[in-house]
Amino acid sequence: MMTEVTMTMSNLHPGFILIAVGLIALFVPKSLRRPVLAAGPLLGLGAVLTLAPGTNATLPFINGITLHYLHVDALSWIFALIFCMMAAIGGIYACHNSNRMEAFCSMTYAGSALGVTLAQDWLTLIFFSELMAATSLFLIWCKKTPASRQAGYRYLLVHMFGGNLLLAGIFLKVSAGDYLVMPLAQGPWDTAFWLICLGISINAAVVPLHAWLVDAYPEGTVTGSVFLSSFTTKVAVYCLIRIFAGTDFLIWFGVLMALYGACYAIMENDMRRLLSYHIVSQVGFMVAGVGLGTAMALNGATAHAFSHILYKSLLFMCAGAIIYATGIRKINQLGGLAKKMPFTFWCFVIAALSISGVPLFNGFISKSITISAAAAAHYGSVELLLQLAGVGTFLSIALKMIYFIFLAPDNGVVIKREVPKNMYVAMGYRRDSVRVIRRLSRAFVQVSALYDGTIPPLYGRPPPPPPPPPILLSL
């Protein structure tokens, strides 16, 4: 039973808290902005931890429409938890930043991601989705370089297009009297289905709708790119799980993403662009899991989204620290940083082993669930291709980046300025969170197991029966 509640201190919307933190950071002097960014998001995290499953807070709207702006179930709660964790660590990483607009936009961006996650109706979802697009744009423009301005305009055009597709599909749904967000995979596959699917797929960077990501994320600010790497694509994955679980064609788009991103990452020389290609690749694992649609596959997609935010944000933090200290983005211009930046080196190693799916790290747990789900669903080719994508990830990050950035002979790289202590603190917390999730792997899988016998009719489908035994001919 869902309980109708009013806004109280015990069930504050965590997204509203983060947006309020951003507004405060926009107006307070620099001396107060640091503690606001460092401590404010912790209030949002506390709000998530106090949310009770089954909560459904509503707000009257026009023409008798009711907005369900705070809907809490197992799926929305686990995504809200990791989004608030990311906002808290990201706030610490960015609290030295003197740019008011960037501070406001980063927190509002995170708050909007929570708004989408906890929305149960289409109108609330599209409002916060558009707010995400608008605020994330300024995390690129705040870099204030010609390249960032041009990338920002392209980012704006793509997200205006995707947002309008999503809005058109939602308009058709609302016009038909369907106000609540519901699974669409079972049909009808009408115009609204395709418009909503395309709009969300653009945000998920589904190949061939992915170019905006690898174009824009490397041009963001050092701190802004950390936020960018964590929210837009994972919010899209959440929406795909919520709306399109079990849509068969997503399996092959996910496999294509996983292979495409890994292959292009092997050839890339820019640190953050290489990591951006791996966002495409890793989200591919999640999209494939959504397409499979079984309980195990959806568990894997959710677990991998959780893990990905942890290790990918740490990789972007480490890359940002290197760029901040040296001013260099190109991998072949670096080398010997293991001795000059040892803390960054070890943080990067942990994140690299995690994204590569090395045993005993959290990426191994979440990737294995999705790959095993493909095998259990009798998609042997999908299992094999996802394994190959994992090999590409290991080659490009665990081998290529670690060696050429940290272990290769010194190219005379000069540390031009010291990395702020708050960036090291954030990297340490994120490194420890990766390690804690790895050590608590059993609990992690249980928290991520959202569908085991509970709601597969709504959000997934049962696993297919095993293939029949071979027919033996007796002579």
Side-chain angles (χ1 to χ4, degrees):
M1 288 290 293
M2 293 291 179
T3 55
E4 302 294 330
V5 298
T6 56
M7 186 66 70
T8 66
M9 288 301 293
S10 63
N11 63 359
L12 282 172
H13 195 300
F16 296 167
I17 295 175
L18 294 184
I19 293 172
V21 170
L23 286 170
I24 294 171
L26 179 63
F27 293 108
V28 298
K30 183 178 179 180
S31 59
L32 295 177
R33 193 175 307 124
R34 183 185 294 262
V36 167
L37 289 176
L42 295 176
L43 298 176
L45 181 58
V48 169
L49 295 175
T50 61
L51 288 175
T55 299
N56 185 29
T58 62
L59 185 69
F61 196 51
I62 60 174
N63 297 330
I65 298 174
T66 300
L67 300 179
H68 296 254
Y69 66 91
L70 180 60
H71 172 73
V72 185
D73 60 11
L75 179 62
S76 60
W77 188 85
I78 191 68
F79 273 89
L81 175 65
I82 187 57
F83 288 155
C84 274
M85 289 172 60
M86 178 57 229
I89 300 299
I92 295 173
Y93 187 80
C95 69
H96 68 282
N97 200 326
S98 61
N99 191 312
R100 296 172 181 269
M101 180 58 71
E102 186 176 344
F104 165 71
C105 288
S106 61
M107 287 295 119
T108 306
Y109 177 40
S112 302
L114 286 162
V116 174
T117 302
L118 297 172
Q120 195 187 15
D121 67 276
W122 291 113
L123 296 180
T124 304
L125 185 147
I126 188 62
F127 172 79
F128 282 111
S129 178
E130 293 303 294
L131 187 58
M132 278 183 63
T135 50
S136 60
L137 171 63
F138 287 91
L139 299 181
I140 303 166
W141 273 347
C142 281
K143 192 178 179 183
K144 299 179 180 178
T145 64
S148 67
R149 285 193 293 269
Q150 294 169 11
Y153 280 119
R154 293 189 292 270
Y155 180 91
L156 174 62
L157 292 173
V158 170
H159 283 280
M160 285 178 62
F161 176 65
N164 281 318
L165 289 176
L166 181 58
L167 179 61
I170 288 175
F171 176 78
L172 292 176
K173 282 293 180 185
V174 172
S175 298
D178 299 330
Y179 299 109
L180 298 183
V181 177
M182 294 295 291
L184 303 180
Q186 302 306 315
W189 286 19
D190 53 10
T191 303
F193 172 94
W194 290 109
L195 289 172
I196 293 172
C197 185
L198 283 171
I200 295 174
S201 295
I202 289 175
N203 280 354
V206 173
V207 176
L209 308 174
H210 69 287
W212 61 269
L213 190 153
V214 295
D215 176 45
Y217 283 13
E219 302 303 332
T221 65
V222 165
T223 54
S225 289
V226 174
F227 283 87
L228 291 169
S229 71
S230 301
F231 290 110
T232 298
T233 50
K234 263 60 73 183
V235 169
V237 168
Y238 166 81
C239 292
L240 288 174
I241 295 173
R242 177 72 72 184
I243 303 169
F244 295 105
T247 305
D248 291 341
F249 63 80
L250 290 177
I251 299 173
W252 300 106
F253 277 104
V255 171
L256 176 61
M257 293 172 68
L259 292 170
Y260 179 94
C263 290
Y264 271 82
I266 291 173
M267 298 182 288
E268 183 55 54
N269 190 36
D270 183 288
M271 278 191 294
R272 292 196 295 182
R273 183 163 285 109
L274 188 158
L275 295 177
S276 297
Y277 275 118
H278 272 297
I279 294 178
V280 176
S281 179
Q282 298 301 302
V283 171
F285 282 82
M286 306 168 208
V287 173
V290 173
L292 289 167
T294 63
M296 182 185 291
L298 296 177
N299 292 340
T302 303
H304 201 49
F306 196 104
S307 293
H308 184 263
I309 291 175
L310 293 175
Y311 59 64
K312 180 62 71 173
S313 61
L314 179 54
L315 288 169
F316 268 87
M317 287 179 185
C318 294
I322 293 168
I323 294 170
Y324 185 95
T326 66
I328 299 173
R329 292 173 45 170
K330 300 296 185 181
I331 294 173
N332 63 352
Q333 297 174 4
L334 294 166
L337 289 185
K339 294 181 179 179
K340 297 179 180 179
M341 302 180 70
F343 184 82
T344 303
F345 168 63
W346 286 111
C347 288
F348 193 95
V349 167
I350 290 172
L353 295 178
S354 297
I355 193 174
S356 300
V358 172
L360 302 181
F361 290 85
N362 63 351
F364 171 76
I365 301 165
S366 56
K367 280 186 179 181
S368 296
I369 299 173
T370 302
I371 294 172
S372 298
H378 316 305
Y379 282 91
S381 57
V382 173
E383 178 190 12
L384 174 62
L385 293 173
L386 291 180
Q387 293 278 18
L388 289 176
V391 173
T393 302
F394 180 78
L395 292 175
S396 58
I397 294 185
L399 293 184
K400 174 182 171 179
M401 292 191 77
I402 289 179
Y403 176 76
F404 285 103
I405 295 173
F406 296 101
L407 302 179
D410 191 347
N411 281 335
V413 178
V414 177
I415 304 298
K416 298 178 180 178
R417 52 179 176 172
E418 290 297 323
V419 176
K421 292 181 179 179
N422 60 286
M423 293 174 68
Y424 282 134
V425 170
M427 291 159 59
Y429 279 132
R430 179 58 79 225
R431 175 203 62 191
D432 291 341
S433 66
V434 171
R435 294 167 64 189
V436 166
I437 294 298
R438 182 258 296 175
R439 290 174 180 174
L440 301 178
S441 57
R442 179 176 296 180
F444 174 55
V445 173
Q446 290 173 349
V447 167
S448 302
L450 309 177
Y451 309 100
D452 293 339
T454 55
I455 48 177
L458 276 181
Y459 299 115
R461 58 187 178 190
I471 298 176
L472 300 179
L473 299 178
S474 59
L475 298 178

